[in-house]
Amino acid sequence: MTFNVPVQPFDADDDTLRAHLRDADCPALLMTLAHITGDPSVLPEGTGAHGWLHRTNGGLSAEQQAAARAQGLHLLQRLRDAGPSAPTPQPDPELLRRITSWAMGADATDLVPLLSEEIVLAERDPRAPRWRMAQSPANEGFRVVIIGAGPSGLLAALRLAQAGVPFVVYEKNHEVGGTWLENRYPGCRVDVPSVLYSFSCATKPDWSEYFCRQDELLGYFQAFAKEFGLYEHIRFHSEVTSARWDEQGACWRLAVRTAEGTLEQRASVLVSAVGQLNRPRLPDLPGRERFTGPSFHTARWDDSVQLAGKRVAVIGTGASAFQLVPEVAKEARELLVFQRTPPWMRPSPGYGAAVPAGARWLSAHLPYYAAWYRFAQLAPGLHGAPWTVDRGYPPTERAVSAANEETRAVLTEAIQAQLADAPELLTQVMPRYPVGSKRVVRDNGAWFSTLKRDDVLLVTDGIEEITPQGLRTADGRHHEADVLIYATGFQAERFLAPMTVTGRDGIDLHTTWDGDARAYLGMTVPGFPNLFCLYGPNTNLVGQGGSVLYFSECAVRYLLDAVRLLHRRGMRRLDVRQDVHDRYNARIDRATAERAWGWTSVRTWYVNDKGRSPQNWPFSALEYWDATRAVDPDDYEIS
Ligand code: N01
C-alpha cells in the first residue's frame, strides 16, 4: 500500500470519463469544480447544506446532478488535454470560505484555517512539524516513550520521527493496530467513513468500501507503520505496568514487562496511547462462571468455536452487536439477541457497500476531489450536532430541542418503514430517549432483516441470571444456548488501567481521578508533568463527522508543540496548572449538562457511576482542532 500518491495524469476517452463520473459524489464534485475553476457560481443555490443526516448526493435533484457531471466532464477533458502541466492551485481563503459556506449551509468563515490544512493535494502534509530537534549536548538522553502502537501511538511516532525526536514505542501485543488488531469478530468494520478514519497525512484513494472492514483497516495501520519506518522503534510484547515521576531526574521511570522479565526504562516525556475501548466489560450477572458452553467477549473472539448448527446467544445491541449479529445469524442454527436498551439507528445505505470503481478513479485522478470528498464527510461534525439541550423547548426524554425532535422524526420514520410488517418488533426496538444520548449506530437494513428471520429471536426481558445451559430472564423463562457471546462493551471509564501512574509527591493517578478521569484538553493532568494522554478524558466525539483519528491528529500536534516548547526554553518539566485544568473541566461539565447524554437519565457508557461524562467532547470538532493548535505556555508551570 502506498499513501499520498500524487494525482495521476490520464488519457481516458470521453466515454470512459463519463462512466467514472456516474460514480461521483456530486457535492464533492461540485466543490472540486468550484475550486479548480475558481468559480463558486457552479454551486447550485439553495442546496448543499450538509446536516448531520447526510443525504445521498447532498439531496441534489437529478437535473442538478446531471449538470454537475457535465461540468465535471469538461474539467476532466481540460485536465487530460493539458497533461501533467495542468495548473492545480490551492484555493485562496475567500474561495475556501465560499465553497465551505455552501457545504455547511451557513457562513463558514471560522472553518477556513482548518480547511486550508485539509484541502491540499495528497503529497502535501501541512500538519507535519516544521521544526527539528537540534542534536546538541543539552538534548542528550532526551527521549519520548509512547505506550501503545494503536492508531494514536503510530501517529505520535511518525510526528516525533519527522521532528527528529528520539522515541520508543512499547506495545503489549505482537503487532500494531490496537483495537483494530484485537477486535476481529465477524462483521467487524469501521462505522465512520474510511476516508475520515484514516490520517490526513496518509491518504488512501482506493478504499474498497465506504466503511471498510477490520482487515483492510488493520492493513492500513500496518502499512502506515511500515512506510514511515516505525516498526524499528516498536518493542512488541512489552507492557508498561507502572510509571513513576522522578522529580530530581525530571523523567518518568517505567517498569516494562517483557518475555525477558521486567525492564526499567526512562522517559523524558511519556505518551499514553492505550485507547479507551479495549478492556472488555463483562456484565455482572449471577452464574456467569457456570455456563458450560463456550462464552467470550466480542473483542476476544474465539475462532475455535464453530457457530454452525449451534443455538447462539448474543448479549447487547450496541455498535459491536450491530455488526456481529447479522453475520452470526448466517451461521448459527438459532440466534437469540438480548437487548436492554435499543439504539437509535441512522440510515446509511453506503454502509457495507463497495466504493465504485469510478469514485476511486476520481480520487486518484481528479485533483482535490479526494480532499473535498473527505471534507464532505467531516463537515457535519465541524459545527456540532443536534444534541444540544434547549431549556426553553423544553427538553424531555423524547427530545431535547426542536432540531433533536426533527432528527428523531427522520430516524423514527426510517425504523417504521422497515417494520411495517412487524408491529411487535417495532414496539420492542423503538428507543425511548433523545437521539444522541447513546451512540447512534449505522443502519443499512441488515439489522432488522436479521431480527425478522424465523431463526432469530429478540429478547427484551432483563437477564436475571446465567445458567449452565443458557440465560434466565425476568419473566421466568429459560433460554437455552450452546454459545454465549458478550457484546457488552468496554470499561471505557478506566483510563490508563491497569497501569500504575505515580506523579509528583507520590500521588497516584487513579486515586486522584477516583474513577472519574479528567485532564486538560484530554491530555495533561496537574501533578503529572510531561505526561500526555491521547484519546484521553473527554475526547470522544459524539457528533458524527470527525473521528477518533481526527482527534488524535489534533492531540499529537499539541504534544509535538509541547516538546518543542520544552526544547526552545531549555526546560525539562511541563506541568499543567491546577486552576487551568479545573476551569477547563468545569466548562466541559457545564456543556455536558446541556447535551443529550448529560441530560437524559438513560444508562450509557458515556456517563460514569458518578453521573459525569469523562468520555465525550461536548463541543464541535472544530473547537478541539482550534484548542490544540499550539500550547499556551501560560497554561503550564515550566521548569
Ligand atoms: O459496547 P456498548 P459496544 N444485560 O457499550 C448491553 C466503539 N465501537 O462494544 O445499552 C443486557 O455500546 C448494553 O445495554 P445498554 C464505539 O465507540 C466502534 O457495542 O447498556 N445487556 C449495550 O447494548 C462504541 O460506542 C465500532 O442497556 C447488557 C451493549 O451491551 C463502543 O465501541 C464498532 C448488559 C454494550 O454496548 C462500544 O460499543 C464497535 C446486561 N447485563 C464498537 N450489560 C466502529 O465501527 C451490557 N449490555 C468504529
Side-chain angles (χ1 to χ4, degrees), residues 266-280:
R266 203 183 58 78
S268 316
V269 166
L270 182 61
V271 180
S272 164
V274 299
Q276 286 185 24
L277 300 168
N278 55 0
R279 291 169 297 277

Side-chain angles (χ1 to χ4, degrees), residues 180 185 189-192 197 277 283 285 298 315-321 323 338 340-341 438-439 463 487-490 540 603 605:
W180 294 101
Y185 53 81
R189 65 169 69 241
V190 65
D191 62 8
V192 171
Y197 207 94
L277 300 168
L285 289 167
T298 44
I315 304 181
T317 54
S320 299
Q323 300 181 333
F338 290 83
R340 192 161 61 181
T341 319
K438 282 172 101 75
R439 185 178 165 98
I463 304 167
T488 44
F490 299 90
N540 189 59
R603 166 188 22 213
W605 69 268

Side-chain angles (χ1 to χ4, degrees), residues 133-462:
M133 194 169 132
Q135 301 298 318
S136 71
N139 293 336
E140 206 154 295
F142 184 92
R143 75 166 197 163
V144 178
V145 167
I146 301 168
I147 310 173
S152 305
L154 291 177
L155 182 71
L158 169 65
R159 293 315 196 190
L160 289 165
Q162 288 172 327
V165 179
F167 69 94
V168 64
V169 185
Y170 293 114
E171 167 56 58
K172 67 178 165 42
N173 292 324
H174 67 284
E175 232 321 347
V176 303
T179 192
W180 294 101
L181 177 71
E182 293 175 7
N183 280 276
R184 28 178 214 85
Y185 53 81
C188 183
R189 65 169 69 241
V190 65
D191 62 8
V192 171
S194 310
V195 293
L196 268 193
Y197 207 94
S198 44
F199 296 119
S200 63
C201 59
T203 57
K204 175 171 145 54
D206 58 349
W207 290 106
S208 66
E209 297 185 32
Y210 289 110
F211 301 85
C212 71
R213 291 166 196 270
Q214 174 263 344
D215 55 351
E216 186 170 3
L217 199 54
L218 178 60
Y220 171 84
F221 293 119
Q222 289 168 328
F224 180 92
K226 196 165 164 211
E227 173 131 340
F228 295 114
L230 305 180
Y231 273 107
E232 63 187 84
H233 298 276
I234 306 173
R235 309 285 168 267
F236 291 108
H237 301 292
S238 301
E239 181 174 3
V240 176
T241 54
S242 69
R244 171 175 288 276
W245 174 250
D246 172 350
E247 181 69 22
Q248 191 85 38
C251 66
W252 287 94
R253 305 270 172 201
L254 312 177
V256 186
R257 189 159 53 211
T258 71
E260 288 78 46
T262 297
L263 311 176
E264 298 279 317
Q265 297 293 337
R266 203 183 58 78
S268 316
V269 166
L270 182 61
V271 180
S272 164
V274 299
Q276 286 185 24
L277 300 168
N278 55 0
R279 291 169 297 277
R281 183 193 300 285
L282 293 176
D284 198 10
L285 289 167
R288 202 155 45 78
E289 307 308 326
R290 286 191 290 138
F291 186 70
T292 51
S295 66
F296 47 89
H297 187 271
T298 44
R300 300 284 180 270
W301 194 258
D302 186 344
D303 288 314
S304 69
V305 177
Q306 296 300 314
L307 300 182
K310 304 273 171 51
R311 189 169 156 92
V312 179
V314 173
I315 304 181
T317 54
S320 299
F322 248 65
Q323 300 181 333
L324 171 76
V325 160
E327 298 305 313
V328 172
K330 291 176 195 161
E331 284 255 327
R333 174 168 56 85
E334 277 178 282
L335 172 61
L336 305 169
V337 180
F338 290 83
Q339 170 191 280
R340 192 161 61 181
T341 319
W344 280 109
M345 305 160 60
R346 171 185 183 185
S348 305
Y351 184 69
V355 180
R360 278 187 270 150
W361 186 92
L362 288 167
S363 290
H365 295 85
L366 177 55
Y368 297 101
Y369 174 83
W372 283 112
Y373 179 70
R374 180 178 145 102
F375 165 66
Q377 310 304 308
L378 188 64
L382 288 174
H383 277 165
W387 7 98
T388 299
V389 174
D390 176 355
R391 295 279 166 183
Y393 177 63
T396 64
E397 282 294 351
R398 179 183 165 83
V400 294
S401 69
N404 191 245
E405 175 70 49
E406 268 172 47
T407 307
R408 180 189 185 103
V410 174
L411 302 193
T412 300
E413 205 178 298
I415 296 174
Q416 286 168 337
Q418 293 182 70
L419 296 180
D421 56 346
E424 208 173 305
L425 192 54
L426 180 62
T427 321
Q428 287 177 300
V429 300
M430 193 54 80
R432 294 184 174 80
Y433 55 85
V435 183
S437 310
K438 282 172 101 75
R439 185 178 165 98
V440 180
V441 293
R442 295 268 176 194
D443 175 25
N444 62 357
W447 182 250
F448 288 138
S449 61
T450 301
L451 294 189
K452 282 197 239 175
R453 286 171 64 132
D454 291 340
D455 52 2
V456 176
L457 178 70
L458 182 72
V459 182
T460 52
D461 293 293

